[in-house]
Amino acid sequence: MEVAETPPSPRVKMMLISLSLSLALSSLAYAAPFTDTPLTDYAHKVKEVAIPPRGWIKRGAPPADYTIELRIALPQPNFSELERHLYEVSDPTHYRYGEYLSKGEVEELIAPHPESLNSVHHWLATHGFTDDHLNRSPASDWIKVNVPVSLAEKMLNTEYHVWVHEPTGKTAIRTTTYSLPETLHHHIELVHPTIHFPSTKPLVATSHLSPILPKVLGANVAHARPIVVPSASGGHVDADCNNNINIKCLQQIYNIGRYKSSAHNGSRIGITGYLEQFANIEDLQSFYKEQRPDAVGSSFDTISVHGGLNNQSLAEAGVEANLDTQFAFGLTFPTPGVFYSTAGRPPIINDLQTPDNTNEPYQDWLDYVLDHPNPPQVVSTSYGDDEQTVPESYARRICQGLAQLGARGVSVFFSSGDFGVGDGDPNPETQICKTNDGRNVTRFMPAFPASCPYVTTIGGTVHIPEVAIGFSGGGFSDLFPRPAYQDSVVSGYLKNLPEGIYAGLFNSSGRAYPDLAAQSSRYVVWVGGHSGHVGGTSASSPTVAAIFSLLNDVRISHGLSPLGFLNPLIYKIQAEHPEALNDITEGNNPGCGTQGFNATKGWDPVTGLGTPNFGKLKDIVLSLE
């Protein structure tokens, strides 16, 4: 008896039709002839060239036999299709809202053209590499291979050097230009590590631990009346929240109240960790005992990425890792939490003959999480760099990887940075915001990945009632155009700027950030067995991520999909339900010899759309089908 074949669902059929059309069109663009001529016989043509970022000094040649891991990025000819799916499943007015793509569907959409795969494999084979030497991503859009420096120089027609960043002592093996056989140029987007120098900024730019003096703080607030904040839970916030931000303060300020999530409905939240930042379990228990007693005895999963460690010595406890995990998991308890410990810290190297591999650890995390069939529905990262120090090809590939997570239903949060519009310095005589393109002109310094249009970027506030904090990063991307979901509010903000102000200092048509904000000063954390204050937008991001994780819990508990890529939703909420976001209208973010941008009514490049009101948002997200 024959069994009738089940026809594909309308959604799958639409995807297949779209993908077939895209592949047919892309095959025309990738119709370069493939011959048996060795690619080494073709003339090389420069692929990328860069000026080294400020502070990096060339010091010497690495050992010829030193091995580096080359990452080769193949074009994703159908990325525009993936982007279309991303916006459709993220738009609350679209009939596909919440119908996220599977890992396999995303990989089909970003797969390179077969001609690109054949050409790159042929090129690698001419240099002696077989399939056994190659490590491919699931979609084959990245190929990794370990190569001696001497061979890498031959393959790329370049010379590598050991570079030292004098202010920090960090080192990297990099070049400032490389070439490929001309016939490969449209089959390879970029090769890394080449011209992309690693970040020299710490992940926590302003975060630091300072001692708390309970008797001094207590004397000022012991009998103080609660602060009236109509949007807060119960309409009041404890007066001490102007001195110490703890779990209770955030529950009050953002109208979370006594809401408690489920431990078993499938909702999860993730925190990324880099630069040997270890989240300490003993400190977590001390934090829980003080701020979240019902969570005492609970913990989180630690996942090692690319050999990341999990050192539980109190002496090795990381300020950033403890801040993120204590508040993200403390606010969302008992939602299961995941901490990703990603290796890749570039150490100080005294001996230039024994340099260390300095591939960007953030890419390692992205490789890992994209290969996972069920990543957490919310992930927060307190990490960033000046956008101008990241080659455009590399920034776009990272951003496209983040779009893949959004298409799969993951809400991705980044802190906006802690240097205002650039260096945090309002003095024009001492500011250091200079372009590194050879012109050396003053310009605002947007941050990346905060400027990626597929993530939700979080700025900072302070005090009760809230005002913008001066270091809150914000501005406009020089790489990514302004997305449609924010066009109306950003155009309105720009229209109200005084004519000619900051002319030439920023790209008014670029992706604007941040999108939201939260408290970013005087968080009380436990580190190394002691409590202390921590500040920075690295505190704001896990806070807002936790609030949206709770909103996911609301939806998942009612049989609805998680919220996924948030920006189309939150900009629509601001337009239709402004009471669901606490508008911040005071403060500014100085830097680059200016006072920066001002917070104002509606969206602004200091606090975005404002801070979240969980109680109001809860009702809204439940109404979305």
Side-chain angles (χ1 to χ4, degrees):
M1 181 178 69
E2 291 187 1
V3 179
E5 185 174 326
T6 303
S9 67
R11 171 192 172 199
V12 173
K13 184 180 290 185
M14 180 177 67
M15 283 191 65
L16 291 173
I17 293 171
S18 298
L19 184 56
S20 297
L21 178 60
S22 295
L23 286 172
L25 293 173
S26 65
S27 66
L28 298 177
Y30 283 82
F34 183 73
T35 72
D36 291 331
T37 305
L39 288 173
T40 51
D41 290 350
Y42 286 98
H44 277 66
K45 180 182 177 182
V46 172
K47 177 66 176 176
E48 291 189 290
V49 63
I51 298 173
R54 188 175 294 106
W56 286 95
I57 305 298
K58 187 190 300 183
R59 282 295 170 83
D65 59 352
Y66 179 77
T67 299
I68 57 176
E69 183 185 66
L70 282 185
R71 298 169 181 257
I72 303 163
L74 282 66
Q76 300 170 346
N78 299 294
F79 178 77
S80 60
E81 272 296 291
L82 181 131
E83 186 182 45
R84 180 176 67 83
H85 288 291
L86 169 66
Y87 281 119
E88 288 182 357
V89 301
S90 306
D91 180 355
T93 66
H94 199 279
Y95 73 93
R96 292 182 62 204
Y97 180 68
E99 295 183 5
Y100 303 116
L101 307 187
S102 68
K103 175 177 178 288
E105 288 170 335
V106 167
E107 288 167 2
E108 282 189 50
L109 286 167
I110 63 163
H113 194 278
E115 184 70 26
S116 294
L117 281 170
N118 289 339
S119 296
V120 173
H121 287 170
H122 179 54
W123 173 59
L124 292 171
T126 63
H127 289 285
F129 296 105
T130 67
D131 281 352
D132 292 339
H133 296 110
L134 310 182
N135 183 1
R136 302 176 186 83
S137 65
S140 294
D141 58 324
W142 284 93
I143 295 176
K144 293 186 283 188
V145 59
N146 291 323
V147 181
V149 165
S150 58
L151 179 54
E153 291 178 332
K154 179 180 178 182
M155 294 168 67
L156 304 175
N157 194 30
T158 190
E159 289 185 0
Y160 278 92
H161 291 88
V162 177
W163 294 75
V164 178
H165 186 253
E166 290 195 322
T168 64
K170 287 185 177 182
T171 63
I173 300 175
R174 293 295 188 269
T175 182
T176 56
T177 182
Y178 69 96
S179 302
L180 291 169
E182 188 168 359
T183 189
L184 281 178
H185 272 234
H186 55 278
H187 295 306
I188 293 178
E189 278 195 345
L190 66 98
V191 179
H192 177 73
T194 49
I195 63 170
H196 178 207
F197 285 71
S199 171
T200 57
K201 280 187 179 180
L203 297 189
V204 195
T206 64
S207 295
H208 61 279
L209 199 64
S210 56
I212 288 180
L213 303 175
K215 62 180 180 181
V216 175
L217 296 180
N220 295 327
V221 298
H223 305 291
R225 293 181 178 180
I227 303 167
V228 177
V229 181
S231 62
S233 178
H236 295 84
V237 176
D238 291 349
D240 188 41
C241 295
N242 263 320
N243 300 299
N244 304 292
I245 291 293
N246 53 34
I247 293 291
K248 184 180 178 182
C249 290
L250 296 174
Q251 290 172 329
Q252 291 176 343
I253 297 167
Y254 299 126
N255 197 17
I256 300 171
R258 297 180 180 272
Y259 183 85
K260 189 169 182 178
S261 60
S262 168
H264 308 292
N265 64 3
S267 179
R268 291 188 300 151
I269 180 172
I271 295 294
T272 63
Y274 303 98
L275 301 188
E276 298 171 7
Q277 279 275 328
F278 305 121
N280 187 271
I281 304 301
E282 186 175 339
D283 280 333
L284 178 73
Q285 298 308 312
S286 298
F287 174 85
Y288 280 166
K289 184 178 180 180
E290 180 182 79
Q291 297 194 32
R292 188 83 200 231
D294 58 332
V296 171
S298 69
S299 188
F300 52 86
D301 293 331
T302 296
I303 294 178
S304 171
V305 178
H306 204 65
L309 303 178
N310 183 24
N311 188 330
Q312 285 299 304
S313 165
L314 279 176
E316 298 297 327
V319 176
E320 173 64 29
N322 277 12
L323 163 68
D324 289 357
T325 53
Q326 288 170 17
F327 276 90
F329 303 153
L331 282 167
T332 58
F333 175 78
T335 296
V338 178
F339 178 72
Y340 296 96
S341 176
T342 303
R345 182 188 181 94
I348 296 174
I349 300 169
N350 296 318
D351 182 0
L352 295 184
Q353 292 305 303
T354 56
D356 192 82
N357 192 322
T358 53
N359 272 359
E360 178 59 67
Y362 185 71
Q363 179 63 54
D364 290 324
W365 175 79
L366 198 52
D367 289 345
Y368 175 88
V369 76
L370 286 173
D371 194 29
H372 197 282
N374 295 298
Q377 296 93 339
V378 169
V379 177
S380 175
T381 298
S382 298
Y383 166 89
D385 203 0
D386 290 341
E387 190 182 66
Q388 71 165 354
T389 67
V390 185
E392 182 174 352
S393 60
Y394 190 81
R396 292 193 183 282
R397 283 302 290 250
I398 293 291
C399 195
Q400 288 171 5
L402 297 167
Q404 294 173 48
L405 285 175
R408 290 172 57 183
V410 179
S411 303
V412 182
F413 294 85
F414 276 86
S415 54
S416 69
D418 296 344
F419 294 96
V421 293
D423 59 2
D425 186 356
N427 187 341
E429 300 300 323
T430 56
Q431 61 86 16
I432 56 173
C433 298
K434 301 292 183 180
T435 61
N436 65 350
D437 57 4
R439 297 180 300 148
N440 202 38
V441 298
T442 299
R443 190 169 175 85
F444 291 167
M445 297 283 113
F448 178 82
S451 63
C452 173
Y454 311 123
V455 305
T456 302
T457 302
I458 311 301
T461 64
V462 68
H463 301 317
I464 314 297
E466 292 180 278
V467 298
I469 199 162
F471 58 66
S472 181
F476 300 81
S477 173
D478 286 324
L479 289 181
F480 303 101
R482 185 164 68 233
Y485 60 73
Q486 64 173 187
D487 193 45
S488 174
V489 294
V490 174
S491 295
Y493 177 86
L494 292 171
K495 193 175 297 183
N496 290 323
L497 278 180
E499 186 175 355
I501 189 170
Y502 304 152
L505 293 181
F506 70 98
N507 173 26
S508 61
S509 62
R511 188 281 206 245
Y513 72 95
D515 303 298
L516 295 170
Q519 288 281 321
S520 59
S521 182
R522 302 186 73 80
Y523 277 62
V524 180
V525 302
W526 280 78
V527 181
H530 304 281
S531 64
H533 283 148
V534 172
T537 56
S538 54
S540 314
S541 184
T543 295
V544 178
I547 291 170
F548 278 89
S549 178
L550 293 177
L551 292 170
N552 269 345
D553 180 82
V554 171
R555 283 181 57 85
I556 293 171
S557 294
H558 284 79
L560 300 172
S561 65
L563 292 166
F565 173 46
L566 291 169
N567 293 7
L569 171 64
I570 59 176
Y571 282 83
K572 182 176 178 60
I573 286 175
Q574 191 269 345
E576 298 182 357
H577 304 280
E579 73 281 0
L581 298 171
N582 308 315
D583 196 8
I584 311 301
T585 60
E586 294 182 33
N588 60 299
N589 58 351
C592 304
T594 75
Q595 292 302 312
F597 297 107
N598 289 326
T600 188
K601 184 177 181 180
W603 180 90
D604 58 69
V606 191
T607 61
L609 300 170
T611 63
N613 183 322
F614 173 82
K616 300 288 186 181
L617 289 168
K618 179 164 65 72
D619 295 335
I620 293 171
V621 300
L622 269 180
S623 69
L624 303 174
E625 297 293 336

